[in-house]
């Protein structure tokens, strides 16, 4: 300890030395008094608590993961759009069940081979996993969106923003919700700085936009509609037909959602994966389609059950039933647990 005054330093040193001598004479532990251990006591700091028992060995979460390839439908140029991890099958938790229904979001650039995809990098595509085969996940179109920076770059002053949304059904019973946005443009030889449309013209343009979208989508199937959304053919039609009301610019379908879709059918998956015939055939082979082969298998399973029950009736006086499980999958026989009966005392 250092002080400016020498006398103060000497007094402080003598007081500490006296305290140490007092502790030594009385026999009190000096470490307990805090002369050797200047830190907090173990009881007051929760970080110093020592847990009993051996510390559990922790493993990294990704050590139990498997990687699956995500396959895109035939309407996209690139068929493999990435990898997705999932926990390995353990017990009753199957890895394929965890993958089904998973939504993967990617850029349209990653799904196009040509240089045209680079100009449409603002498009975000959502794919949903429909089926799993081996280490591949077969996905389908689930939605489309636009990046925020693209949308913010279109909104400017001195122009009118017109938005519309419509719920429509395709020819093959897919329900979609589409959101459309457009902006008014300057006319030829216009001197005025602003390009504001009147309320009456805004209603006409919005009504015409909804009519064009509904008419076009209802004529197309779901597979034929997706390329039109990506190529912006509907936007060109809106811009052309609404020019008689007011010139438009930056017409864009900002979002597309799949609200409702038909029940999963393996034959539809074959249409979406037309060039992957082998993979589609494998999906079709595993799909629960009513054919003659499953009936024969079911008949064979029933015969085995009858034969097994006949054997158990013979051994009923020896065995005692404990538990019978329900079949977890179709065409699988449930199992039963028995134990030997105790012999009756004479």
């Amino acid at each position: 300890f250092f002080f400016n005054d020498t006398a103060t330093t000497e007094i402080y040193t003598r007081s500490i030395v006296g305290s140490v001598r007092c502790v030594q004479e009385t026999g009190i532990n000096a470490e307990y008094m805090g002369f050797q251990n200047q830190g907090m006591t173990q009881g007051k700091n929760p970080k110093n608590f020592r847990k009993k028992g051996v510390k559990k060995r922790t493993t990294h979460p990704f050590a139990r993961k498997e990687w699956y390839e995500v396959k895109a439908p035939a309407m996209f140029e690139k068929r493999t759009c990435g990898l997705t991890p999932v926990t390995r099958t353990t017990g009753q938790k199957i890895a394929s069940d965890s993958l089904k229904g998973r939504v993967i979001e990617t850029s349209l650039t990653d799904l196009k081979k040509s240089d045209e995809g680079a100009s449409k990098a603002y498009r975000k595509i959502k794919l949903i996993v429909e089926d799993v085969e081996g280490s591949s996940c077969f996905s389908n179109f689930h939605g489309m969106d636009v990046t925020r920076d693209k949308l913010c770059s279109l909104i400017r002053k001195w122009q009118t923003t017109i938005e519309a949304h419509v719920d429509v059904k395709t020819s093959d019973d897919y329900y979609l919700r589409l959101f459309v946005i457009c902006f008014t443009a300057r006319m030829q030889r216009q001197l005025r700085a602003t390009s504001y449309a009147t309320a009456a013209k805004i209603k006409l343009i919005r009504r015409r936009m909804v009519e064009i979208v509904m008419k076009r989508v209802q004529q197309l199937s779901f597979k034929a509609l997706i390329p039109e959304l990506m190529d912006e053919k509907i936007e060109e039609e809106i811009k052309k037909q609404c020019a008689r009301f007011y010139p438009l610019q930056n017409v864009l379908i900002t979002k597309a959602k799949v609200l409702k879709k038909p029940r999963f059918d393996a034959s539809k998956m074959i249409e979406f994966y037309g060039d992957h015939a082998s993979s589609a055939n494998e999906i079709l082979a595993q799909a629960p389609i009513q054919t003659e082969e499953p009936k024969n298998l079911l008949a064979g399973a029933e015969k085995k059950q009858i034969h097994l029950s006949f054997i158990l009736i013979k051994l009923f006086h020896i065995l005692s039933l404990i538990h019978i499980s329900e079949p977890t999958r179709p065409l699988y026989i449930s199992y039963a647990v028995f134990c030997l009966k105790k012999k009756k005392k004479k």
Side-chain angles (χ1 to χ4, degrees):
F1 302 93
F2 299 95
F3 297 93
N4 294 330
D5 190 4
T6 309
T8 308
T9 307
E10 186 177 354
I11 291 167
Y12 194 78
T13 307
R14 286 180 181 178
S15 63
I16 292 175
V17 172
S19 300
V20 173
R21 285 178 181 174
C22 179
V23 170
Q24 289 177 352
E25 289 174 3
T26 54
I28 301 172
N29 189 1
E31 184 179 357
Y32 177 77
M33 293 296 292
F35 292 105
Q36 293 182 9
N37 184 13
Q38 298 293 333
M40 294 177 66
T41 58
Q42 185 178 357
K44 291 185 178 180
N45 190 358
K47 293 183 180 179
N48 293 335
F49 290 156
R50 295 179 182 177
K51 295 181 181 179
K52 294 182 180 180
V54 183
K55 188 177 179 181
K56 189 177 179 181
R57 188 177 179 183
T58 58
T59 58
H60 198 276
F62 272 80
R64 294 173 287 136
K65 301 286 183 182
E66 289 179 342
W67 291 88
Y68 285 75
E69 282 188 351
V70 181
K71 300 288 185 182
M75 66 244 342
F76 300 103
E77 294 177 5
K78 286 186 181 178
R79 306 306 302 277
T80 303
C81 58
L83 300 169
T84 182
V86 68
T87 308
R88 292 193 188 97
T89 302
T90 52
Q92 294 182 350
K93 191 174 181 181
I94 304 169
S96 60
D97 294 342
S98 302
L99 286 168
K100 288 177 183 177
R102 182 176 291 188
V103 178
I104 294 107
E105 186 176 297
T106 182
S107 176
L108 183 60
T109 311
D110 298 333
L111 297 172
K112 279 187 171 288
K113 292 181 180 178
S114 58
D115 298 334
E116 185 186 353
S119 62
K120 297 180 181 178
Y122 57 86
R123 289 278 187 193
K124 296 187 292 183
I125 305 296
K126 290 182 180 179
L127 302 173
I128 185 168
V129 177
E130 295 280 358
D131 197 22
V132 181
E133 176 62 32
S135 61
S136 300
C137 300
F138 295 94
S139 62
N140 198 359
F141 181 83
H142 187 63
M144 186 181 66
D145 205 350
V146 176
T147 56
R148 181 177 173 82
D149 59 333
K150 174 64 176 178
L151 198 59
C152 292
S153 67
L154 301 177
I155 299 171
R156 301 167 190 167
K157 62 181 181 178
W158 298 346
Q159 64 181 10
T160 303
T161 304
I162 305 169
E163 292 179 291
H165 68 275
V166 57
D167 295 351
V168 64
K169 184 176 75 169
T170 61
S171 60
D172 50 355
D173 297 335
Y174 278 84
Y175 283 88
L176 284 89
R177 180 174 292 163
L178 301 176
F179 296 80
V180 190
I181 191 171
C182 65
F183 305 90
T184 55
R186 292 174 63 88
M187 297 182 184
Q188 291 181 355
R189 299 177 183 178
Q190 180 176 331
L191 300 176
R192 188 175 54 186
T194 59
S195 300
Y196 297 133
T198 60
K201 289 188 176 180
I202 291 171
K203 287 181 181 179
L204 285 172
I205 292 169
R206 187 180 290 115
R207 190 187 307 159
R208 190 62 181 158
M209 285 164 59
V210 171
E211 289 175 0
I212 293 167
V213 171
M214 288 190 69
K215 184 179 178 182
R216 189 61 182 161
V217 173
Q218 287 174 355
Q219 292 174 352
L220 299 172
S221 64
F222 185 70
K223 186 180 179 181
L225 175 64
I226 306 308
E228 289 218 355
L229 291 176
M230 293 185 294
D231 296 338
E232 300 180 357
K233 292 183 179 179
I234 298 175
E235 289 92 321
E236 292 174 3
E237 187 70 20
I238 292 171
K239 187 176 180 180
K240 183 180 178 180
Q241 293 195 23
C242 293
R244 59 180 178 174
F245 304 124
Y246 207 98
L248 299 179
Q249 63 178 349
N250 298 326
V251 183
L252 200 65
I253 294 178
T254 55
K255 189 182 289 186
K257 293 181 180 179
V258 178
L259 302 178
K260 191 178 178 182
K261 56 187 176 182
R263 198 171 180 179
F264 175 76
D265 189 6
S267 60
K268 290 287 183 182
M269 288 295 292
I270 290 176
E271 292 180 9
F272 288 134
Y273 291 86
D275 52 345
H276 284 250
S278 60
S279 301
N281 290 331
E282 290 175 359
I283 297 170
L284 184 61
Q286 289 193 351
I289 301 173
Q290 293 181 356
T291 56
E292 294 182 0
E293 189 177 357
K295 292 180 182 178
N296 296 334
L297 290 172
L298 187 61
E302 289 177 354
K303 288 180 182 179
K304 289 181 181 178
Q305 279 188 335
I306 293 167
H307 183 64
L308 182 64
S309 60
F310 181 72
I311 296 171
L312 293 176
I313 289 168
K314 285 187 175 182
L315 301 174
F316 187 72
H317 64 284
I318 302 173
L319 300 176
S320 177
L321 180 63
I322 297 174
H323 171 70
I324 297 178
S325 73
E326 295 181 359
T328 55
R329 298 182 186 179
L331 308 179
Y332 278 72
I333 305 170
S334 60
Y335 64 89
V337 181
F338 295 88
C339 70
L340 293 172
K341 288 183 178 179
K342 290 183 179 180
K343 292 183 178 179
K344 295 181 180 180
K345 295 181 180 179
K346 294 181 180 180

